[in-house]
Amino acid sequence: MNSILGSWADKFRPHPDGTKLPPHHGHCLGCGPDNPHGHHLVVQRRGEEVHAVYRFSERHMGAPGIAHGGAVATVLDDLFGFLLYLTGTPAVTRQLEVRYDAPVILGTAYELAARVVRDDGRKLFVEAEMAEAGGTVVATASALFLKVDIAHFDRGAPPAPVDPD
Ligand SMILES: CC(C)(COP(=O)(O)OP(=O)(O)OC[C@H]1O[C@@H](n2cnc3c(N)ncnc32)[C@H](O)[C@@H]1OP(=O)(O)O)[C@@H](O)C(=O)NCCC(=O)NCCSC(=O)Cc1ccccc1
């Protein structure tokens, strides 16, 4: 666990505009490349925003052909986690609100963007949207992240071995 956190802490360094940002860690549900159940989100810095393009697949189905709302929330929450590389401090989600404006269709490419709207002491207020290529917004999210010391994560148990099934 400490090596995972150590490598995560290393990532709080300046990331040039336009570059791909590193995953939070290999097994992160949102972006970890080694998590077979994860979304494998790939995120780029654009100015003071973070951007991604994402397609939900059959693994994320709620109603037939439509992404589960929890899966959509996971992706938006994880996208917010990339803003921490820009603010330079670890933080965790205290409150997350998602507005589902239209069904998120499996297999469709959606563009996601997130930004910090207010940085107030320990509190980071963030917002994001997910839109079709033409610009129609299908979901928006706002969240409060609270900044924490890296010791916050010591409370987690070591990751269990990954079951490929
Ligand atoms: C540690 C803490 C977050 C905060 O505890 P404490 O230290 O005891 O904090 P305290 O309660 O003292 O509040 C501090 C200040 O905040 C204020 N305030 C509070 N609420 C609200 C509100 N709704 N609205 C407005 N303000 C509010 C409160 O009044 C106070 O203000 P004050 O200072 O008096 O002006 C604890 O609740 C916790 O562990 N929660 C679980 C978090 C967790 O597991 N999240 C999921 C995993 S992360 C993830 O998945 C995403 C991710 C992905 C990838 C990478 C990274 C991230």
Side-chain angles (χ1 to χ4, degrees), residues 69-86:
V72 173
T74 299
V75 167
L76 288 162
D77 190 25
D78 199 65
L79 183 70
F80 285 141
F82 284 86
L83 288 169
L84 307 176
Y85 295 144
L86 276 58

Side-chain angles (χ1 to χ4, degrees), residues 64-161:
I66 295 173
H68 194 289
V72 173
T74 299
V75 167
L76 288 162
D77 190 25
D78 199 65
L79 183 70
F80 285 141
F82 284 86
L83 288 169
L84 307 176
Y85 295 144
L86 276 58
T87 61
T89 174
V92 289
T93 319
R94 173 65 171 243
Q95 187 168 334
L96 172 67
E97 183 174 279
V98 181
R99 199 181 73 195
Y100 299 93
D101 293 318
V104 174
I105 307 302
L106 303 184
T108 297
Y110 290 101
E111 295 173 359
L112 296 98
R115 65 207 64 86
V116 174
V117 289
R118 188 152 59 97
D119 185 341
D120 180 8
R122 272 191 77 194
K123 299 171 208 168
L124 274 179
F125 295 88
V126 294
E127 64 175 28
E129 62 278 328
M130 181 183 300
E132 293 169 3
T136 303
V137 172
V138 294
T140 60
S142 57
L144 169 64
F145 273 58
L146 290 180
K147 297 173 193 174
V148 292
D149 193 270
I150 200 82
H152 169 93
F153 300 99
D154 281 344
R155 292 156 73 178

